[in-house]
Amino acid sequence: MSTTPDPTPRHTALDALHRSLGATMTDFAGWDMPLRYASERDEHNAVRTRAGLFDLSHMGEITITGAQAVDLLNHALVGNIGTVGAGRARYTMICREDGGILDDLIVYRLAESEYLVVANAGNAQTVLDALVERSSGFDAEVRDDRDAYALIAVQGPESPGILKSVTDADLDGLKYYAGLPGTVAGVPALIARTGYTGEDGFELFVAPSDAEKVWQALTEAGAPVGLVPCGLSCRDTLRLEAGMPLYGHELTTALTPFDAGLGRVVKFEKEGDFVGRTALEAAAERASSNPPRKLVGLIAEGRRVPRAGYPVVAEGRVIGEVTSGAPSPTIGKPIAMAYVDAAHAEPGTSGVGVDIRGTHEPYEVVALPFYKRQK
């Protein structure tokens, strides 16, 4: 039986705090979220050079437990979750039977037979429903834990020092794409060295009732080094510069991981069948013999900003489509990600433009990412 979605936006545990800070709020995937607090350019630059603090409590957390938890995940997802060690995380995807991408995910292995799946906000219910359906026949439980967590991210070169001052965890020993339990500001947290900005940083899973305490502690610890609160707007320009895909833009059900240039996340060598295997094997073969459109970076020669859906053109014909575009504060020019025909995908390919309201604006084709931090 279908139900009508609730039109009332949900609020995170930090909603009142965001409003007290003067945030401009926006509806995002059914949540009322901070878009920006002051200048999105200043927020972006703070993350690149100092540190920024994000509320990501709209993300969807799903816990998988039981003797066959890993078998369920290997069946339901395209990655090999069996090779994820305790305390580590893995970027992967969940696909339909036809190979179309339902969502991209991060899976954390919390214990021997306990995993935390983190889905995008707009896809959380879809992912939950798919995992429940695919759990049939497995000795495993799928639990909706979206209300059990608030998620706070501190990102940027100063973030390790800021977090060290309010945690007992061994951050120096915490590798990228790893997570460990600890305390932050005296409250229990899962501390993960992950993020969506292209910078070093951490994502902190805490109880919603503890969220404000953690946010305030990080704000105070970060004040001397220039940490600022950051909204979703600068999160988008940061991930775009870092060449990270966004579901609904670079990833959709109309694309397989091979179409998106992310075939590496599909692990055919793992034991047993998985949802979409047959379709994905065919997609892999097609991609090797007849390359699909390739995801590339575009840098504007002028000042006009490309937007998702704008045609990419060359030699008087359409050769692709922009998936994401924005002014880049770091590069100082408009940038875009786009799927283009393989013949025009090599960096430096000349004669490529974007049709912006009838005018073909010239763009340089570059390899992704646009920005890579210095280690």
Side-chain angles (χ1 to χ4, degrees):
M1 189 176 80
S2 64
T3 56
T4 304
D6 185 351
T8 308
R10 299 183 67 186
H11 297 99
T12 77
L14 295 166
D15 183 74
L17 190 147
H18 298 317
R19 294 172 193 279
S20 74
L21 293 172
T24 300
M25 307 295 285
T26 187
D27 178 78
F28 185 84
W31 290 81
D32 218 7
M33 298 296 295
L35 186 64
R36 71 181 72 81
Y37 295 84
S39 156
E40 54 204 49
R41 177 178 289 270
D42 290 348
E43 291 170 25
H44 179 111
N45 290 334
V47 175
R48 285 279 177 259
T49 59
R50 304 185 305 278
L53 195 57
F54 297 83
D55 179 8
L56 306 180
S57 302
H58 60 315
M59 300 294 279
E61 295 88 5
I62 302 160
T63 302
I64 314 290
T65 56
Q68 291 187 301
V70 69
D71 302 301
L72 164 58
L73 289 169
N74 270 343
H75 167 69
L77 312 180
V78 301
N80 188 351
I81 308 305
T83 59
V84 180
R88 298 308 301 267
R90 175 76 43 86
Y91 175 80
T92 187
M93 295 183 184
I94 183 168
C95 290
R96 302 192 306 192
E97 197 68 68
D98 66 2
I101 302 166
L102 282 173
D103 201 14
D104 60 336
L105 312 165
I106 296 180
V107 179
Y108 298 89
R109 186 176 182 183
L110 304 182
E112 179 63 30
S113 56
E114 182 180 1
Y115 295 82
L116 180 66
V117 176
V118 181
N120 285 297
N123 294 332
Q125 190 64 49
T126 299
V127 173
L128 177 66
D129 291 345
L131 288 172
V132 168
E133 182 184 332
R134 296 174 190 188
S135 68
S136 178
F138 289 93
D139 180 11
E141 180 193 350
V142 178
R143 189 172 71 233
D144 180 0
D145 270 348
R146 284 176 288 179
D147 292 334
Y149 292 104
L151 180 56
I152 295 170
V154 56
Q155 300 277 301
E158 297 285 356
S159 59
I162 293 168
L163 187 55
K164 272 181 189 175
S165 68
V166 294
T167 184
D168 61 351
D170 173 22
L171 299 187
D172 292 334
L174 187 63
K175 296 185 171 115
Y176 186 53
Y177 265 69
L180 83 172
T183 61
V184 176
V187 304
L190 170 64
I191 303 165
R193 200 164 206 151
T194 47
Y196 196 49
T197 62
E199 298 297 337
D200 192 10
F202 304 87
E203 295 182 320
L204 311 171
F205 297 83
V206 300
S209 57
D210 292 330
E212 194 163 330
K213 183 177 183 182
V214 170
W215 179 282
Q216 297 288 25
L218 290 166
T219 298
E220 289 168 22
V225 292
L227 173 139
V228 299
C230 294
L232 294 181
S233 186
C234 85
R235 189 169 187 249
D236 191 49
T237 52
L238 289 159
R239 71 92 195 165
L240 177 55
E241 288 184 350
M244 294 177 169
L246 174 64
Y247 195 87
H249 290 254
E250 288 71 42
L251 309 174
T252 70
T253 53
L255 298 170
T256 73
F258 294 94
D259 297 322
L262 291 165
R264 65 182 180 274
V265 306
V266 181
K267 303 301 181 186
F268 293 120
E269 71 276 11
K270 65 180 174 176
E271 287 184 25
D273 196 14
F274 63 90
V275 177
R277 177 192 274 274
T278 302
L280 290 168
E281 285 174 339
E285 197 168 321
R286 283 196 307 272
S288 62
S289 59
N290 182 24
R293 282 184 167 176
K294 189 176 178 186
L295 189 64
V296 300
L298 300 174
I299 298 180
E301 293 183 18
R303 308 304 306 173
R304 296 184 74 187
V305 178
R307 298 298 183 191
Y310 284 11
V312 181
V313 294
E315 300 157 6
R317 63 184 181 87
V318 174
I319 57 143
E321 185 176 295
V322 171
T323 53
S324 297
S328 165
T330 305
I331 296 169
K333 295 179 180 179
I335 60 172
M337 286 199 278
Y339 283 110
V340 303
D341 294 345
H344 294 86
E346 279 300 308
T349 301
S350 60
V352 173
V354 175
D355 185 338
I356 301 182
R357 299 187 184 88
T359 303
H360 291 186
E361 299 285 340
Y363 274 74
E364 178 189 0
V365 178
V366 299
L368 293 170
F370 299 97
Y371 166 86
K372 202 165 190 178
R373 71 182 174 93
Q374 301 300 308
K375 301 290 184 189

